[in-house]
């Protein structure tokens, strides 16, 4: 049965009065107080109503607290066992989740309840709504400025083993054979015993881990032949084709193998492994995690695209993560900018300027962001061919026409066509130029031609702008996003997750981003709500006033000495006092 508590309702008696004023102040000024007062009452628990009946059945655990514990678990990077213990015994978690009773019904949670709640939120993608809700609350509460934002990505490894190509073949074949034996034993018994023992026997399975580098090609070809045999054997069996393990086997063959003609074989063909360079980056990396991709720079796994707002040194405002997107590691960063701007526009958090590195700042991205979203993308231009002069080193007029080359030779004519511009330089001057090999001009009958487009002009303008102090002053704040990535990993453990699969990775990444926003907002919240209390301020004021009054009395009424009742003066002091 659907069960929630109204956390906005005030209590007649304070349930936290037993903590005392000092411990209560610490909780109120921390992330726990912020979470209880502002985040917890606004969590979208109505999205869970579809999983429970309104009046029939046993009441659920309090769903606000259940949704909140999902955030706290990812925020503190807790295992399931640690999350259960913290929920049961941690008073800071109790305060954040507003658990006012010490009974097992309120302050206990089982592993099954934790798993069920995680599955509901991950399957319904409710974490996205939780992220947007908490972001709106924190933005309004802290009055965060969203006009300036920056973007970057972080590589994430799921809980899977990094497999080489031989290990990938062996694990995928073994996974299929195990499932075939479990669900279709009669079809499994029809296979060659030597084939099944090669992958299911413990003694034979370890052979693939001890392959010498010189024998890797021959071993891969043998594995490819076994994959071809299995896929052709069961391609027409409907109950096998619907198995997920068989689909992975077919995908493995399509991505890793090719069929060649072989006159010596009975079928006239054989399967061989593709060269490493021909294997696509979005190929299967591990049968346990088919959604993971491969990046030649960072390896196997996923990547999380993050956008956060920032403030300059003078403003010193809070930085909050405004957009999160999870994708496989094979995706390029250049394809993430425009979708992120679209999502920010739907949230009414579109910035005026976006800082990003050169991978995001392609010419098409910058032009589309400016024309469709009115966002200025501040990003360096990719270096390009550094062996040749680029257009930024030429002298251009206001219309983009070339006036002179880097060596000072002026152009004879500059013509504009539909395809672009064509600048003509005198042949004699170019032939005698010592930098002719570095010049991008091409020799013609009537002169040396340099052809460029409007895109080249825009890139040249951007390269020239990069040398200005104004650009450097704006772009220096992009480095702050690296600190966010570091904190994202240190505080929440996002780079090494305990889950596999896109659905679970997305849930963990979004929840960890929510947790990081709460931790960051908690620091500003503590600074805002923990000034000196009135009683303490009055005490310090009176103490300072007393000290000042005593000093004035000493100046107005000086005394020679003050002697106590138990004070025994020396002989020299007795003479001074007598005087």
């Amino acid at each position: 049965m659907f069960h929630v508590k109204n956390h906005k309702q005030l209590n007649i008696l304070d349930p936290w009065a037993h903590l005392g004023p000092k411990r209560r102040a610490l909780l109120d000024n921390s992330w726990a107080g912020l979470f209880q007062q502002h985040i917890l009452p606004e969590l979208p628990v109505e999205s869970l109503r579809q999983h429970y009946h309104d009046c029939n059945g046993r009441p659920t655990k309090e769903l606000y607290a259940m949704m909140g514990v999902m955030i706290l678990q990812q925020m503190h990077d807790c295992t399931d066992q640690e999350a259960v213990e913290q929920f049961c015994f941690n008073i800071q978690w109790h305060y954040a989740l507003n658990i006012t009773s010490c009974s097992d019904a309120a302050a206990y949670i089982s592993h099954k309840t934790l798993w069920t709640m995680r599955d509901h939120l991950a399957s319904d993608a409710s974490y996205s709504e939780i992220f947007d809700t908490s972001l709106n609350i924190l933005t309004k509460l802290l009055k965060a400025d969203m006009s300036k934002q920056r973007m970057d990505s972080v590589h994430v490894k799921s809980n899977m083993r990094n497999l080489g190509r031989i290990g990938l073949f062996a694990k995928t074949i073994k996974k299929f054979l195990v499932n075939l034996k479990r669900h279709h034993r009669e079809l499994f018994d029809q296979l060659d015993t030597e084939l099944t023992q090669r992958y299911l026997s413990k003694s034979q399975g370890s052979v693939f881990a001890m392959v010498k580098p010189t024998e890797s090609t021959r071993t891969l070809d043998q594995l490819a032949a076994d994959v071809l045999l299995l896929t052709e054997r069961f391609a027409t069996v409907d109950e096998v084709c619907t198995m997920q393990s068989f689909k992975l086997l077919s995908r493995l063959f399509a991505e890793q193998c090719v069929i060649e003609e072989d006159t010596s074989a009975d079928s006239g063909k054989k399967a061989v492994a593709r060269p490493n360079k021909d294997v696509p980056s979005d190929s299967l990396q591990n049968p346990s995690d088919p959604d993971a991709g491969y990046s030649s720079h960072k390896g196997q796994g996923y990547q999380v695209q993050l956008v956060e707002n920032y403030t300059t040194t003078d403003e010193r405002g809070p930085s909050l993560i405004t957009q999160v997107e999870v994708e496989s590691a094979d995706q390029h960063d250049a394809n993430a900018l425009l979708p992120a701007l679209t999502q920010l526009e739907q949230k009414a958090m579109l910035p005026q300027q976006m800082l990003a590195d050169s991978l995001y700042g392609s010419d098409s991205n910058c032009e589309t962001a400016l024309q469709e979203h009115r966002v200025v993308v501040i990003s360096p231009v990719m270096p390009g061919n550094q062996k040749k002069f680029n257009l930024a080193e030429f002298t251009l007029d206001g219309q983009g026409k070339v006036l002179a080359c880097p060596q000072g030779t002026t152009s004879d004519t500059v013509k504009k066509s539909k395809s672009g511009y064509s600048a003509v330089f005198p042949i004699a001057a170019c032939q005698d130029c010592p930098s002719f090999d570095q010049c991008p001009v091409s020799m013609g009958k009537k002169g040396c031609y340099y052809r460029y487009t409007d895109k080249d002009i825009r890139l040249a303008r951007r390269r020239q702008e990069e040398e200005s102090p104004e650009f450097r002053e704006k772009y220096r704040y992009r480095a702050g996003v690296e600190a966010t990535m570091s904190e994202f990993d240190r505080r929440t453990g996002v780079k090494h997750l305990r889950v596999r699969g896109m659905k679970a990775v997305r849930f963990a990444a979004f929840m960890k981003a929510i947790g990081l926003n709460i931790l960051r907002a908690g620091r500003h919240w503590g600074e805002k709500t923990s000034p000196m209390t009135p009683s303490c301020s009055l005490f310090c004021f009176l103490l300072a006033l007393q000290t000042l009054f005593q000093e004035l009395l000493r100046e107005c009424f000086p005394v020679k000495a003050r002697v106590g009742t138990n004070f025994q003066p020396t002989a020299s002091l007795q003479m001074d006092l007598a005087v």
Side-chain angles (χ1 to χ4, degrees), residues 177 188-189 191-201:
L177 292 177
F188 175 82
D189 292 338
L191 294 174
D192 187 7
T193 306
E194 182 183 356
L195 174 65
T196 57
Q197 290 298 320
R198 187 184 305 155
Y199 298 99
L200 299 183
S201 175

Side-chain angles (χ1 to χ4, degrees), residues 62-163:
E62 206 280 306
L63 293 181
Y64 279 102
M66 294 301 100
M67 189 173 286
V69 77
M70 293 289 100
I71 300 176
L72 300 188
Q73 180 185 10
Q74 299 298 331
M75 180 170 69
H76 296 287
D77 193 25
C78 297
T79 63
D80 289 346
Q81 179 64 30
E82 292 171 347
V84 169
E85 293 175 355
Q86 296 293 329
F87 184 86
C88 294
F89 306 112
N90 192 327
I91 192 172
Q92 195 174 26
W93 282 40
H94 288 182
Y95 191 80
L97 301 175
N98 199 22
I99 300 175
T100 56
S101 174
C102 295
S103 63
D104 287 349
Y108 172 77
I109 184 175
S110 66
H111 287 78
K112 181 62 170 59
T113 304
L114 202 67
W115 300 337
T116 302
M117 181 58 56
R118 184 187 301 125
D119 182 68
H120 289 339
L121 296 182
S123 300
D124 301 340
S126 302
Y127 48 80
S128 180
E129 184 179 0
I130 299 174
F131 176 81
D132 294 339
T133 301
S134 61
L135 177 61
N136 290 328
I137 294 172
L138 297 178
T139 301
K140 295 178 181 178
L141 183 65
L142 302 178
K143 299 179 181 179
D145 182 15
M146 296 296 170
S147 62
K148 301 174 183 178
Q149 299 187 31
R150 52 197 176 196
M151 184 175 185
D152 203 0
S153 63
V154 58
H155 186 74
V156 172
K157 293 183 179 180
S158 62
N159 189 22
M160 71 172 187
R161 181 181 177 184
N162 289 340
L163 298 176

Side-chain angles (χ1 to χ4, degrees), residues 245 468 490:
S245 57
S468 63
R490 289 183 290 102

Side-chain angles (χ1 to χ4, degrees), residues 301-350:
Y302 300 83
Q303 65 181 9
V304 180
Q305 300 286 347
L306 290 184
V307 182
E308 69 165 355
N309 73 308
Y310 72 96
T311 54
T312 61
T313 307
D314 299 333
E315 298 167 348
R316 299 182 63 84
S319 293
L320 301 175
I321 297 175
T322 59
Q323 174 62 22
V324 181
E325 188 56 49
V326 182
E327 53 194 15
S328 59
D330 61 280
Q331 298 296 318
H332 199 278
D333 287 342
N335 301 325
L337 176 64
L338 297 180
L341 293 179
T342 302
Q343 294 293 329
L344 290 172
E345 188 172 14
Q346 294 175 358
K347 300 176 186 178
M349 292 185 178
L350 200 63

Side-chain angles (χ1 to χ4, degrees), residues 328-375:
S328 59
D330 61 280
Q331 298 296 318
H332 199 278
D333 287 342
N335 301 325
L337 176 64
L338 297 180
L341 293 179
T342 302
Q343 294 293 329
L344 290 172
E345 188 172 14
Q346 294 175 358
K347 300 176 186 178
M349 292 185 178
L350 200 63
Q352 297 177 1
Q353 66 181 28
M354 176 74 76
L355 297 184
D357 58 29
S358 55
L359 295 177
Y360 298 91
S362 63
D363 179 71
S364 59
N365 280 353
C366 294
E367 288 298 305
T368 305
L370 184 61
Q371 295 175 5
E372 296 184 2
H373 303 285
R374 296 181 181 178
V375 176

